[in-house]
Amino acid sequence: EKLFSGFSKTRDNLAVIDELLLYWNLSDTDRVLDELEEALLVSDFGPKITIKIVESLRDDIYAGKLKSGSEIKDALKRSVLGFLTNKEVKTELRLGFRKPAVIMIVGVNGGGKTTSLGKLAHRLKQQGAKILMAAGDTFRAAASDQLEIWSERTGCEIVVAEKEQAKASSVLSQAVKRGKEQGFDIVLCDTSGRLHTNYSLMEELISCKKAIAKIVPGAPNEILLVLDGTTGLNMLPQAREFNEVVGITGLILTKLDGSARGGCVVSVVDELGIPVKFVGVGEGVEDLQPFDAETFVDAIFS
Ligand code: GDP
């Protein structure tokens, strides 16, 4: 329901498609597809995906494969679903066999990293895992206070820096070491999110990754990039850069309960070939859901 309400603006933008298709006939195809193209662009699908979708509909219409407005609409929904699901990568977390599994949460400030980490801790704990949180955002003093609140809220233990301005990599390696010695199943690592254009952040993330791998070979098992779902296509260059530098294994899209820009989800998945693993639909402990492409497609098309 929250996802559905968050996409009301996207749905409104796309509602015009229903009207267009209701009165569609073959001779009207080019005009209808032009307007459909416009609706997809306004909904943040981006030019690349929009052109792919519209041209494949055009081909199928002129080849006689789509004979009615409702067949065109179904083909449109199938095509969007295809972009979200045709990757080899899985949407479930890959935690491997070695304990502890380590998940790094990365992204720019304000996107929802700490909140997502807290919600993920709650979710994994409910599934029976013993979770340790690591306050790796040593740059912003308030970040570890915020994570401590999540630690209390979820009943998960936490490792924080012992002194101000500690190195993020040493806090995370201390946490992973403790995770290993004390039999934790999963260590969830928060990281700093100062502007992604700041080179030293990327350097820091790389050294965090190396520090973790020194203690548990093969870890981090997941590096999840948190993207604010309300930022639209602006999330693309951001995602690209994080992926190039640290190698992202999955996405968490947050604030999809607000006024989320639906189409960019499809663009980012298609362009990076990285699956959305979770979506954030609020600020409460329960407000993180596994991503389900079909539910998503139903939420953006009325
Ligand atoms: P960080 O700087 O990336 O760690 O971001 P925070 O976790 O501090 O989140 C920034 C703001 O976004 C906070 O006010 C959060 O409560 C809010 N927030 C995070 N995720 C969601 C979400 O899924 N929905 C809504 N409505 N707010 C969110």
Side-chain angles (χ1 to χ4, degrees), residues 106-117 119 137 140 143 146 150 190-191 193 226 228 253-258 279-284 287-288:
V106 303
V108 298
N109 271 343
K113 271 190 312 297
T114 309
T115 310
S116 300
L117 192 155
K119 292 187 282 188
D137 183 355
R140 202 166 56 93
Q146 200 188 338
W150 277 102
D190 201 7
T191 60
V226 173
D228 179 336
L253 289 172
T254 60
K255 311 185 192 180
L256 296 194
D257 53 313
V279 294
V281 291
E283 297 172 274
D287 291 329
L288 187 80

CSV table of all heavy atoms in Angstrom, one decimal, residues 106-117 119 137 140 143 146 150 190-191 193 226 228 253-258 279-284 287-288, ligand 1:
chain,number,residue,atom,x,y,z
A,106,VAL,N,26.5,1.6,1.4
A,106,VAL,CA,27.2,2.9,0.9
A,106,VAL,C,26.1,3.8,0.2
A,106,VAL,O,25.0,3.4,-0.1
A,106,VAL,CB,28.3,2.5,-0.1
A,106,VAL,CG1,29.3,1.6,0.6
A,106,VAL,CG2,27.8,1.9,-1.3
A,107,GLY,N,26.5,5.0,0.0
A,107,GLY,CA,25.7,6.0,-0.6
A,107,GLY,C,25.9,7.4,-0.1
A,107,GLY,O,26.7,7.6,0.8
A,108,VAL,N,25.4,8.4,-0.8
A,108,VAL,CA,25.6,9.8,-0.4
A,108,VAL,C,24.8,10.1,0.8
A,108,VAL,O,23.8,9.5,1.1
A,108,VAL,CB,25.3,10.8,-1.5
A,108,VAL,CG1,26.2,10.6,-2.7
A,108,VAL,CG2,23.9,10.8,-1.9
A,109,ASN,N,25.2,11.1,1.6
A,109,ASN,CA,24.5,11.6,2.8
A,109,ASN,C,23.1,11.9,2.5
A,109,ASN,O,22.7,12.5,1.5
A,109,ASN,CB,25.2,12.8,3.3
A,109,ASN,CG,26.3,12.5,4.3
A,109,ASN,OD1,26.4,11.4,4.8
A,109,ASN,ND2,27.1,13.5,4.5
A,110,GLY,N,22.2,11.5,3.4
A,110,GLY,CA,20.8,11.9,3.3
A,110,GLY,C,20.0,10.9,2.5
A,110,GLY,O,18.7,11.0,2.5
A,111,GLY,N,20.6,10.0,1.9
A,111,GLY,CA,19.9,9.0,1.0
A,111,GLY,C,19.1,8.0,1.8
A,111,GLY,O,18.1,7.5,1.4
A,112,GLY,N,19.5,7.8,3.1
A,112,GLY,CA,18.8,6.8,3.9
A,112,GLY,C,19.7,5.6,4.3
A,112,GLY,O,19.1,4.6,4.6
A,113,LYS,N,21.0,5.8,4.3
A,113,LYS,CA,21.9,4.6,4.6
A,113,LYS,C,21.6,4.1,6.0
A,113,LYS,O,21.4,2.9,6.2
A,113,LYS,CB,23.3,5.1,4.6
A,113,LYS,CG,24.0,5.0,3.3
A,113,LYS,CD,25.5,5.2,3.4
A,113,LYS,CE,25.9,6.5,4.1
A,113,LYS,NZ,25.4,7.7,3.6
A,114,THR,N,21.8,5.0,7.0
A,114,THR,CA,21.7,4.6,8.4
A,114,THR,C,20.3,4.0,8.7
A,114,THR,O,20.2,2.9,9.4
A,114,THR,CB,22.0,5.7,9.3
A,114,THR,OG1,23.2,6.3,8.9
A,114,THR,CG2,22.1,5.3,10.8
A,115,THR,N,19.3,4.6,8.2
A,115,THR,CA,17.9,4.2,8.4
A,115,THR,C,17.7,2.8,7.8
A,115,THR,O,17.1,1.9,8.4
A,115,THR,CB,16.9,5.2,7.8
A,115,THR,OG1,17.2,6.5,8.2
A,115,THR,CG2,15.5,4.8,8.2
A,116,SER,N,18.2,2.6,6.6
A,116,SER,CA,18.1,1.3,5.9
A,116,SER,C,18.9,0.2,6.6
A,116,SER,O,18.4,-0.9,6.7
A,116,SER,CB,18.6,1.4,4.4
A,116,SER,OG,17.9,2.4,3.7
A,117,LEU,N,20.1,0.6,7.1
A,117,LEU,CA,20.8,-0.4,7.9
A,117,LEU,C,20.0,-0.8,9.1
A,117,LEU,O,19.9,-2.0,9.4
A,117,LEU,CB,22.2,0.2,8.3
A,117,LEU,CG,23.2,-0.7,8.9
A,117,LEU,CD1,24.6,-0.1,8.7
A,117,LEU,CD2,23.0,-1.1,10.3
A,119,LYS,N,16.8,-0.8,9.5
A,119,LYS,CA,15.6,-1.6,9.1
A,119,LYS,C,16.0,-3.0,8.7
A,119,LYS,O,15.4,-4.0,8.9
A,119,LYS,CB,14.9,-0.9,8.0
A,119,LYS,CG,14.2,0.4,8.4
A,119,LYS,CD,13.3,1.0,7.3
A,119,LYS,CE,14.1,1.7,6.3
A,119,LYS,NZ,13.2,2.5,5.3
A,137,ASP,N,30.5,5.4,9.7
A,137,ASP,CA,30.5,6.8,9.3
A,137,ASP,C,31.2,7.6,10.4
A,137,ASP,O,30.5,8.2,11.2
A,137,ASP,CB,29.1,7.3,9.0
A,137,ASP,CG,29.0,8.7,8.5
A,137,ASP,OD1,30.1,9.4,8.4
A,137,ASP,OD2,27.9,9.2,8.1
A,140,ARG,N,30.8,12.0,10.2
A,140,ARG,CA,29.7,12.8,10.7
A,140,ARG,C,29.4,12.3,12.1
A,140,ARG,O,29.0,11.2,12.3
A,140,ARG,CB,28.5,12.6,9.8
A,140,ARG,CG,27.5,13.7,9.8
A,140,ARG,CD,26.5,13.5,8.6
A,140,ARG,NE,25.9,12.2,8.6
A,140,ARG,CZ,24.7,11.9,9.1
A,140,ARG,NH1,24.0,12.8,9.8
A,140,ARG,NH2,24.2,10.7,9.0
A,143,ALA,N,26.2,10.6,13.0
A,143,ALA,CA,25.8,9.3,12.4
A,143,ALA,C,25.9,8.2,13.4
A,143,ALA,O,25.0,7.3,13.4
A,143,ALA,CB,26.7,9.1,11.2
A,146,GLN,N,23.0,8.3,15.7
A,146,GLN,CA,21.8,7.8,15.0
A,146,GLN,C,21.8,6.3,14.9
A,146,GLN,O,20.7,5.6,15.2
A,146,GLN,CB,21.8,8.4,13.6
A,146,GLN,CG,20.5,8.5,12.9
A,146,GLN,CD,20.7,8.9,11.5
A,146,GLN,OE1,21.7,9.5,11.1
A,146,GLN,NE2,19.8,8.6,10.6
A,150,TRP,N,19.2,3.1,16.5
A,150,TRP,CA,18.7,1.9,15.8
A,150,TRP,C,19.2,0.7,16.5
A,150,TRP,O,18.5,-0.3,16.5
A,150,TRP,CB,19.2,1.9,14.4
A,150,TRP,CG,18.4,2.8,13.5
A,150,TRP,CD1,18.6,4.0,13.1
A,150,TRP,CD2,17.1,2.4,13.0
A,150,TRP,NE1,17.5,4.5,12.3
A,150,TRP,CE2,16.6,3.5,12.2
A,150,TRP,CE3,16.3,1.3,13.1
A,150,TRP,CZ2,15.4,3.5,11.6
A,150,TRP,CZ3,15.0,1.3,12.4
A,150,TRP,CH2,14.6,2.4,11.7
A,190,ASP,N,27.9,0.5,8.4
A,190,ASP,CA,27.5,1.8,7.9
A,190,ASP,C,28.8,2.5,7.4
A,190,ASP,O,29.9,2.2,7.8
A,190,ASP,CB,26.9,2.7,9.0
A,190,ASP,CG,26.1,3.8,8.5
A,190,ASP,OD1,25.8,3.9,7.3
A,190,ASP,OD2,25.6,4.6,9.4
A,191,THR,N,28.7,3.4,6.4
A,191,THR,CA,29.9,4.1,5.9
A,191,THR,C,29.5,5.6,5.7
A,191,THR,O,28.4,6.0,5.8
A,191,THR,CB,30.3,3.5,4.5
A,191,THR,OG1,29.2,3.7,3.6
A,191,THR,CG2,30.7,2.1,4.6
A,193,GLY,N,29.1,9.2,3.9
A,193,GLY,CA,28.4,9.5,2.6
A,193,GLY,C,28.6,10.9,2.1
A,193,GLY,O,27.8,11.5,1.4
A,226,VAL,N,22.7,2.7,-1.4
A,226,VAL,CA,21.4,3.3,-1.0
A,226,VAL,C,21.1,4.5,-1.9
A,226,VAL,O,21.9,5.4,-2.0
A,226,VAL,CB,21.3,3.7,0.4
A,226,VAL,CG1,20.1,4.4,0.8
A,226,VAL,CG2,21.5,2.4,1.3
A,228,ASP,N,18.2,7.5,-3.1
A,228,ASP,CA,17.0,8.1,-2.7
A,228,ASP,C,16.1,8.1,-3.9
A,228,ASP,O,16.4,8.7,-5.0
A,228,ASP,CB,17.4,9.6,-2.3
A,228,ASP,CG,16.2,10.4,-1.9
A,228,ASP,OD1,15.1,10.1,-2.4
A,228,ASP,OD2,16.4,11.4,-1.2
A,253,LEU,N,16.5,1.1,-2.7
A,253,LEU,CA,15.9,2.4,-3.1
A,253,LEU,C,15.0,2.8,-1.9
A,253,LEU,O,14.1,2.1,-1.5
A,253,LEU,CB,15.0,2.1,-4.3
A,253,LEU,CG,15.8,1.9,-5.6
A,253,LEU,CD1,14.9,1.5,-6.7
A,253,LEU,CD2,16.6,3.1,-6.0
A,254,THR,N,15.3,4.0,-1.5
A,254,THR,CA,14.5,4.5,-0.3
A,254,THR,C,13.5,5.6,-0.7
A,254,THR,O,13.5,6.1,-1.8
A,254,THR,CB,15.5,5.2,0.7
A,254,THR,OG1,16.2,6.3,0.1
A,254,THR,CG2,16.5,4.2,1.2
A,255,LYS,N,12.7,5.9,0.3
A,255,LYS,CA,11.7,6.9,0.2
A,255,LYS,C,10.7,6.7,-0.9
A,255,LYS,O,10.2,7.6,-1.5
A,255,LYS,CB,12.4,8.3,0.1
A,255,LYS,CG,13.5,8.5,1.1
A,255,LYS,CD,14.1,9.9,1.1
A,255,LYS,CE,15.3,9.9,2.0
A,255,LYS,NZ,16.0,11.2,2.0
A,256,LEU,N,10.4,5.4,-1.2
A,256,LEU,CA,9.4,5.1,-2.2
A,256,LEU,C,8.0,5.4,-1.7
A,256,LEU,O,7.1,5.3,-2.5
A,256,LEU,CB,9.6,3.7,-2.8
A,256,LEU,CG,10.9,3.4,-3.4
A,256,LEU,CD1,10.8,2.0,-4.2
A,256,LEU,CD2,11.4,4.5,-4.4
A,257,ASP,N,7.9,5.7,-0.5
A,257,ASP,CA,6.6,6.1,0.1
A,257,ASP,C,6.3,7.5,-0.1
A,257,ASP,O,5.2,8.0,0.1
A,257,ASP,CB,6.5,5.8,1.6
A,257,ASP,CG,7.7,6.4,2.3
A,257,ASP,OD1,8.9,6.3,1.9
A,257,ASP,OD2,7.5,7.1,3.4
A,258,GLY,N,7.3,8.3,-0.5
A,258,GLY,CA,7.1,9.8,-0.7
A,258,GLY,C,6.6,10.0,-2.1
A,258,GLY,O,5.8,9.3,-2.6
A,279,VAL,N,13.4,-2.2,-1.0
A,279,VAL,CA,12.9,-0.8,-1.1
A,279,VAL,C,12.5,-0.3,0.3
A,279,VAL,O,12.0,-1.0,1.1
A,279,VAL,CB,11.7,-0.8,-2.1
A,279,VAL,CG1,12.1,-1.1,-3.5
A,279,VAL,CG2,10.6,-1.7,-1.7
A,280,GLY,N,12.7,1.0,0.5
A,280,GLY,CA,12.3,1.6,1.7
A,280,GLY,C,11.0,2.4,1.5
A,280,GLY,O,10.9,3.1,0.6
A,281,VAL,N,10.1,2.1,2.4
A,281,VAL,CA,8.8,2.7,2.3
A,281,VAL,C,8.3,3.4,3.5
A,281,VAL,O,7.1,3.5,3.8
A,281,VAL,CB,7.7,1.7,1.8
A,281,VAL,CG1,7.9,1.2,0.4
A,281,VAL,CG2,7.7,0.5,2.8
A,282,GLY,N,9.3,3.9,4.3
A,282,GLY,CA,9.0,4.7,5.5
A,282,GLY,C,10.1,4.7,6.5
A,282,GLY,O,11.2,4.1,6.2
A,283,GLU,N,9.9,5.3,7.6
A,283,GLU,CA,11.0,5.4,8.6
A,283,GLU,C,10.9,4.5,9.8
A,283,GLU,O,11.8,4.5,10.6
A,283,GLU,CB,11.0,6.9,9.1
A,283,GLU,CG,11.3,7.9,8.0
A,283,GLU,CD,11.1,9.3,8.4
A,283,GLU,OE1,9.9,9.8,8.4
A,283,GLU,OE2,12.1,9.9,8.8
A,284,GLY,N,9.9,3.6,9.8
A,284,GLY,CA,9.8,2.7,10.9
A,284,GLY,C,10.6,1.4,10.7
A,284,GLY,O,11.0,1.1,9.6
A,287,ASP,N,9.7,-0.9,7.7
A,287,ASP,CA,9.5,-0.3,6.4
A,287,ASP,C,10.6,-0.5,5.4
A,287,ASP,O,11.0,0.3,4.7
A,287,ASP,CB,9.3,1.3,6.6
A,287,ASP,CG,8.0,1.6,7.3
A,287,ASP,OD1,7.0,0.8,7.1
A,287,ASP,OD2,7.9,2.6,8.0
A,288,LEU,N,11.1,-1.8,5.4
A,288,LEU,CA,12.0,-2.2,4.3
A,288,LEU,C,11.5,-3.5,3.8
A,288,LEU,O,11.2,-4.4,4.5
A,288,LEU,CB,13.4,-2.4,4.9
A,288,LEU,CG,14.5,-2.7,3.9
A,288,LEU,CD1,15.0,-1.4,3.3
A,288,LEU,CD2,15.7,-3.4,4.5
B,1,GDP,P1,22.1,8.8,5.5
B,1,GDP,O1,22.7,10.1,5.7
B,1,GDP,O2,22.3,8.2,4.2
B,1,GDP,O3,22.5,7.8,6.6
B,1,GDP,O4,20.5,9.0,5.7
B,1,GDP,P2,19.5,8.7,6.9
B,1,GDP,O5,19.4,7.3,7.2
B,1,GDP,O6,20.0,9.6,8.0
B,1,GDP,O7,18.1,9.2,6.3
B,1,GDP,C1,17.9,10.6,5.9
B,1,GDP,C2,16.4,10.9,6.2
B,1,GDP,O8,15.6,10.2,5.3
B,1,GDP,C3,16.0,10.6,7.6
B,1,GDP,O9,15.1,11.6,8.0
B,1,GDP,C4,15.2,9.3,7.4
B,1,GDP,O10,14.3,9.1,8.4
B,1,GDP,C5,14.6,9.4,6.0
B,1,GDP,N1,14.4,8.2,5.4
B,1,GDP,C6,15.2,7.2,5.1
B,1,GDP,N2,14.6,6.2,4.5
B,1,GDP,C7,13.3,6.5,4.3
B,1,GDP,C8,12.2,5.9,3.6
B,1,GDP,O11,12.2,4.8,3.0
B,1,GDP,N3,11.0,6.7,3.6
B,1,GDP,C9,10.9,7.9,4.2
B,1,GDP,N4,9.8,8.5,4.1
B,1,GDP,N5,12.0,8.5,4.8
B,1,GDP,C10,13.2,7.8,4.8
